[in-house]
Amino acid sequence: MAEPYSLQQYIDDLRQLAADTDDENVIFERLAPLAGRVVADPSWLQAKHYQSDAEQGFGVHLLHEEDDHSLAVFAVNWMPGRGTPPHDHGTWAVVAGIEGVEHNVRYARVDDASRDDYAELEVKTAFDAGPGEVLCIHTGGIHKVSNETDTLTLSLHTYGRHVNYTNRSQFDLESNERKAFKLNVE
Ligand SMILES: [Fe+2]
């Protein structure tokens, strides 16, 4: 039987890892298995983490961040049939599934990035991620997430920096518009 691994242990390990390196490949290699461990026994989850923001389509609950907004950890839930627009994070991201299946689409930017308010995206991959699956996204990586099922989904999100403090973007696939993306965080 696996050793218990608490959310606090995860945060302690995250801090140590960030102190050791800023190489995103090393962070992903070491953090992904730890994220998998902390979602394997989510006894740290509370009822409020299942509360969604109906306007936004998902609920974002901050579990940890440093005083300078680095190393942010969130419990995020998606309402049935809802999702995000395509977006980047302005930092690295590690997402670990807790409950339900979340549909991910990853994009490549195919224009010359010469304009701040315009971006052309092309689908790279699309896949479903379930409980215990861990997804790592480099700084600049673009994806969208949706819940195509009829029950709430829940996942643990860890970022190099709180995503409301990174100048990250959302993308409109029809107009090719690129604009700021801020979350309502509980
Ligand atoms: Fe994301």
Side-chain angles (χ1 to χ4, degrees):
M1 181 140 167
E3 287 282 302
Y5 186 64
S6 68
L7 181 62
Q8 189 57 53
Q9 283 175 292
Y10 178 70
I11 290 163
D12 291 345
D13 287 344
L14 171 64
R15 282 178 159 150
Q16 184 61 54
L17 175 50
D20 288 350
T21 185
D22 54 10
D23 181 326
E24 292 187 5
N25 288 321
V26 176
I27 290 169
F28 292 163
E29 192 182 346
R30 287 176 50 187
L31 193 60
L34 301 177
R37 276 179 75 188
V38 79
V39 299
D41 174 17
S43 49
W44 45 269
L45 273 177
Q46 299 171 38
K48 65 181 181 184
H49 297 143
Y50 291 84
Q51 283 170 14
S52 290
D53 178 326
E55 192 185 329
Q56 183 166 245
F58 49 95
V60 183
H61 300 268
L62 182 67
L63 302 172
H64 174 77
E65 68 175 323
E66 300 294 317
D67 290 341
D68 65 356
H69 302 299
S70 66
L71 308 183
V73 183
F74 301 90
V76 183
N77 66 69
W78 269 271
M79 297 170 74
R82 304 292 295 274
T84 66
H87 61 270
D88 61 18
H89 305 100
T91 184
W92 56 261
V94 173
V95 181
I98 302 173
E99 288 180 27
V101 174
E102 293 172 356
H103 186 65
N104 263 267
V105 180
R106 298 193 68 163
Y107 297 91
R109 188 166 174 185
V110 294
D111 65 308
D112 63 7
S114 62
R115 283 172 55 183
D116 281 344
D117 60 349
Y118 178 91
E120 292 170 30
L121 304 185
E122 202 170 79
V123 172
K124 277 203 300 194
T125 54
F127 56 94
D128 289 329
E133 289 188 70
V134 182
L135 171 63
C136 299
I137 305 170
H138 282 288
T139 300
I142 300 169
H143 77 146
K144 74 171 182 181
V145 182
S146 58
N147 175 0
E148 315 279 330
T149 74
D150 55 11
T151 52
L152 198 78
T153 66
L154 189 70
S155 45
L156 180 79
H157 295 236
T158 307
Y159 302 99
R161 187 170 174 78
H162 188 309
V163 285
N164 280 354
Y165 297 90
T166 63
N167 290 325
R168 51 89 162 255
S169 304
Q170 60 179 303
F171 302 90
D172 186 317
L173 294 173
E174 310 229 306
S175 66
N176 292 333
E177 190 181 2
R178 176 190 183 192
K179 56 187 181 186
F181 187 34
K182 300 281 185 209
L183 302 177
N184 298 330
V185 177
E186 304 288 326

